[in-house]
Amino acid sequence: IARPGRRSAAGSKSRTPAAARATLLVDAERLLADSRDHMGTVEARLAPTLAAIAAGRLRARGIDLEREPERARGSLSPGLFALIDPGRPPVEDRRAPGLETAELEALIGELERL
């Protein structure tokens, strides 16, 4: 049931590609800003997103991140692998500072080149 003032699922599909892209960019900017503030945001929201991207790109190279973490480790920088390692223990202090802007840019750049 659609609520007044809210778009239904069908209504959100009618957005133009440019509007949808703008929404995604705003969401991504917010996520990256939050990830600089708290390690909990990195672990809960950013790491799974980066892991999904890396897994897809590794899969294109014949590497399964979940089944072959050691092969994946060899294809990624230590920093990126540490963030997306399927066996990584949870962050103890979720309010600890997140990643610096330069670190985030380097990780994203690495994924783009992968």
Side-chain angles (χ1 to χ4, degrees):
I1 299 175
R3 294 182 187 157
R6 296 192 180 231
R7 289 184 179 177
S8 67
S12 64
K13 290 181 183 176
S14 65
R15 287 189 297 179
T16 65
R21 182 173 169 81
T23 299
L24 288 173
L25 289 174
V26 168
D27 290 346
E29 287 174 348
R30 186 174 301 125
L31 174 61
L32 292 174
D34 290 347
S35 297
R36 287 191 297 266
D37 294 335
H38 298 290
M39 198 61 191
T41 301
V42 172
E43 181 177 66
R45 296 187 56 212
L46 183 61
T49 300
L50 295 180
I53 294 167
R57 294 192 178 224
L58 288 167
R59 197 170 22 259
R61 293 176 170 214
I63 301 170
D64 186 306
L65 176 61
E66 293 288 327
R67 293 183 188 154
E68 304 171 292
E70 290 308 312
R71 274 189 75 203
R73 180 190 305 270
S75 297
L76 304 172
S77 70
L80 180 56
F81 185 77
L83 186 62
I84 66 167
D85 180 359
R88 177 177 176 231
V91 171
E92 290 184 27
D93 182 2
R94 297 183 69 81
R95 295 215 178 263
L99 301 173
E100 296 291 326
T101 301
E103 292 173 288
L104 288 169
E105 289 174 353
L107 295 173
I108 292 167
E110 181 178 350
L111 286 173
E112 289 174 342
R113 291 185 299 276
L114 188 60

